[in-house]
Amino acid sequence: MLLNAITTSIHNWLGSRGRTRLLLLAGAVVGVLACEEPKEIGLSPTTPVDVSFTDTLTVTRETIRFDSTRSNDQSNLMVGRYTDPVFGKIQARAFVQMVPQVNFVVNDSATTNATPASRIVYDSTRLFLNYDAVSYGDTTMAQELQVWRLRDSLNSSINYDISSTVATTAQPLVRQTIRPRPNTTDSLSFRLSLPDALGQELIQLANTEAGKVANGALFRAQVRGLMLTTTGNDRAAVVGFRPGGSAVVVYFHVQGERTAKLQVFLLSGKRFNQVLADRSGTPLANLQRGGTLPVTATNGRSFVQPASGITTKLMFPTLNRFIQQGRLAINRADLIITPANPDDATLYNPPALALAEVDEKNQLRRVPTTGSGTTTTGGFPFLVPFSGPIDRNSSSFANPQIIRRVVRTNNYTFNISGYMQSVVTGLSPNTGLAILSPGAETLFPRSQFGVTDATQLYLNDRLWRMVIDGQASVRLVLFYTSSK
């Protein structure tokens, strides 16, 4: 499910009576241990144990800027500009390769005979852009949408990131002033007329090998992609368009016939979003690629906007000392993140968050890639799963926690018991977790064909942002069992 709306959840076991509930939960754990042998937590059945609770383990924060942020083949095309008092002036551009929706085959009416190119008559070309209902900034402000032609096709083997760029022609194909309204039913999409030269170029693909869906390389060799951008207003909004619902449509007819025909070229081929940020005059002005910004330099605040390369790293520096107290097992560990409420309602907190392991260089740790071609697995980040991990293989991380924000309390609660236990046992490194804000609740959809890795689609496909302010904004509540 895409996270295009913020919904209310009543899950908040740590409410105003949280201390009482914690005591009740601790009592329940003791009751369970009294009825069952503690073999499941790795202690001998004859070993005396204590069940304890703590919420004083230190969680430290710092803002990090990734050296590289992937934006390759994402679920939406981000286009527009907006100004954020914390994150600066943000601009998003979409670079995309067209692909034929179906084989471009034109036959004479009521026959299977291919129509000669001389009888295929071009009429017009239009661009349809379909909103994905997510925007950031002020959508009431006008912007000039521009569509440019790329000088070269996008390379299918490159994993583009937010700093990538591809050269364009000297002049845009079309310009049009827009006031996007992505959340209204009368503005789900809009269309633009494109130059006839582009349509006539596409019509030449009819009944050729390059016009077949299966021959993507031939198509890309003949048809260069597009770049979508805006100009004119830095205080407007960034909006998203669905690649599978956006298209260039060529209209034509066959000479001697009255039926109008069309061919659809979807904007769902190779694509990436370029995200540019001017952070001058903001708390993030001096944060360089690969760099860190301690909370002591920002009045106790840390910042999260993964799609622009900025996020908060959480660390547990006292965990190793805690482990050294003796043999112990983690029964439950809840990590509660409570961000600041934004002053501007158009710059809302992310509907959901995920956590991913980072290394000492503040890069996302990734599962090793195995196999090749259609059997390739791995390569995605070590996202904290709902249970486990029991090992470092890809299967242990294919069910990551995507935690929705509880609107009433404005927080996100992760159960990181399995992750903490894996750190205690030495399976997972204690080098910190990065906060991410994916655009979907399911990053590994399951179907009759198996499990699909959708992290590339959704992990950085929205410009959601938030600010974490103060020591109490991130808390770790831990129940553990230790041997006497």
Side-chain angles (χ1 to χ4, degrees):
M1 179 185 297
L2 291 179
L3 292 165
N4 288 342
I6 301 176
T7 59
T8 302
S9 169
I10 62 172
H11 170 67
N12 183 29
W13 72 283
L14 289 175
S16 60
R17 299 179 182 177
R19 188 74 179 182
T20 302
R21 294 176 184 175
L22 290 172
L23 291 174
L24 289 173
L25 179 56
V29 172
V30 172
V32 170
L33 290 173
C35 297
E36 297 182 6
E37 293 181 343
K39 57 186 178 181
E40 294 184 359
I41 59 173
L43 299 176
S44 158
T46 59
T47 302
V49 297
D50 284 328
V51 176
S52 304
F53 149 75
T54 181
D55 61 355
T56 59
L57 278 179
T58 302
V59 182
T60 61
R61 295 174 289 118
E62 63 183 15
T63 303
I64 63 174
R65 182 177 173 187
F66 294 125
D67 184 64
S68 176
T69 302
R70 296 185 185 185
S71 67
N72 190 63
D73 292 338
Q74 292 182 323
S75 71
N76 74 343
L77 305 171
M78 293 194 291
V79 181
R81 299 165 181 253
Y82 85 96
T83 298
D84 189 304
V86 175
F87 294 88
K89 296 178 181 179
I90 308 294
Q91 178 183 6
R93 298 171 173 169
F95 294 74
V96 59
Q97 193 75 38
M98 293 176 281
V99 292
Q101 184 182 42
V102 296
N103 292 339
F104 195 174
V105 175
V106 182
N107 293 329
D108 290 342
S109 181
T111 74
T112 58
N113 300 324
T115 302
S118 60
R119 293 183 53 226
I120 301 175
V121 182
Y122 166 80
D123 292 324
S124 63
T125 305
R126 289 188 176 92
L127 171 66
F128 291 83
L129 296 174
N130 182 241
Y131 289 118
D132 75 346
V134 172
S135 63
Y136 230 59
D138 188 352
T139 57
T140 66
M141 302 296 291
Q143 299 186 75
E144 183 182 86
L145 175 69
Q146 297 183 352
V147 182
W148 295 70
R149 194 78 187 275
L150 301 182
R151 289 189 179 276
D152 198 3
S153 298
L154 298 184
N155 191 325
S156 60
S157 63
I158 292 179
N159 201 331
Y160 294 96
D161 68 18
I162 60 173
S163 64
S164 299
T165 191
V166 177
T168 63
T169 53
Q171 296 295 325
L173 294 174
V174 65
R175 308 169 185 254
Q176 181 166 317
T177 299
I178 63 169
R179 285 184 174 85
R181 293 183 295 164
N183 295 312
T184 58
T185 56
D186 63 340
S187 185
L188 295 178
S189 63
F190 64 90
R191 63 185 183 183
L192 304 171
S193 294
L194 292 176
D196 292 337
L198 174 61
Q200 290 166 349
E201 177 185 335
L202 293 172
I203 208 76
Q204 295 176 11
L205 300 176
N207 298 329
T208 68
E209 289 300 308
K212 294 181 179 179
V213 174
N215 296 333
L218 282 176
F219 180 85
R220 289 191 302 273
Q222 296 190 35
V223 180
R224 292 167 286 122
L226 304 174
M227 188 262 282
L228 310 178
T229 187
T230 63
T231 63
N233 194 341
D234 289 333
R235 297 186 176 275
V238 172
V239 297
F241 300 109
R242 296 186 180 96
S246 301
V248 171
V249 181
V250 178
Y251 297 88
F252 62 96
H253 66 276
V254 173
Q255 190 177 48
E257 299 182 8
R258 296 184 177 181
T259 304
K261 298 178 181 293
L262 60 86
Q263 175 68 21
V264 176
F265 298 90
L266 295 173
L267 301 189
S268 59
K270 186 68 175 181
R271 59 194 181 276
F272 71 93
N273 292 312
Q274 181 192 66
V275 179
L276 307 174
D278 177 2
R279 300 188 177 94
S280 56
T282 75
L284 301 169
N286 296 321
L287 184 57
Q288 303 299 316
R289 282 188 178 187
T292 63
L293 190 63
V295 294
T296 54
T298 55
N299 295 320
R301 296 182 298 169
S302 61
F303 308 96
V304 178
Q305 192 178 50
S308 68
I310 301 290
T311 196
T312 291
K313 177 181 177 180
L314 304 177
M315 294 161 288
F316 311 96
T318 60
L319 183 59
N320 289 337
R321 186 166 67 249
F322 178 72
I323 294 170
Q324 293 169 3
Q325 295 178 5
R327 298 175 62 199
L328 58 85
I330 306 297
N331 302 117
R332 184 175 178 91
D334 280 358
L335 183 69
I336 305 140
I337 301 173
T338 306
N341 284 308
D343 296 327
D344 186 341
T346 68
L347 306 179
Y348 48 88
N349 287 325
L353 299 178
L355 299 172
E357 294 182 21
V358 288
D359 61 21
E360 295 84 353
K361 296 181 179 180
N362 294 327
Q363 290 299 303
L364 294 177
R365 292 187 185 274
R366 293 184 177 272
V367 176
T369 301
T370 59
S372 61
T374 58
T375 63
T376 301
T377 61
F380 51 84
F382 283 106
L383 296 159
V384 173
F386 275 102
S387 61
I390 60 173
D391 54 36
R392 300 294 282 177
N393 296 324
S394 59
S395 57
S396 283
F397 296 87
N399 189 25
Q401 292 188 60
I402 311 296
I403 301 300
R404 277 187 170 268
R405 183 174 72 96
V406 180
V407 176
R408 180 171 60 86
T409 54
N410 186 39
N411 62 22
Y412 312 79
T413 300
F414 289 86
N415 179 352
I416 61 170
S417 309
Y419 168 75
M420 281 294 183
Q421 185 63 36
S422 72
V423 172
V424 167
T425 60
L427 177 65
S428 297
N430 186 22
T431 51
L433 298 173
I435 298 176
L436 302 179
S437 54
E441 289 183 293
T442 304
L443 297 181
F444 293 89
R446 288 162 171 76
S447 68
Q448 60 177 332
F449 304 106
V451 179
T452 301
D453 174 13
T455 54
Q456 192 89 311
L457 280 170
Y458 300 117
L459 210 53
N460 297 312
D461 66 334
R462 303 289 191 275
L463 274 167
W464 290 321
R465 47 82 93 193
M466 71 180 190
V467 177
I468 303 175
D469 191 359
Q471 185 174 356
S473 58
V474 180
R475 295 174 56 222
L476 177 61
V477 179
L478 192 69
F479 290 92
Y480 60 96
T481 303
S482 61
S483 62
K484 294 181 178 179

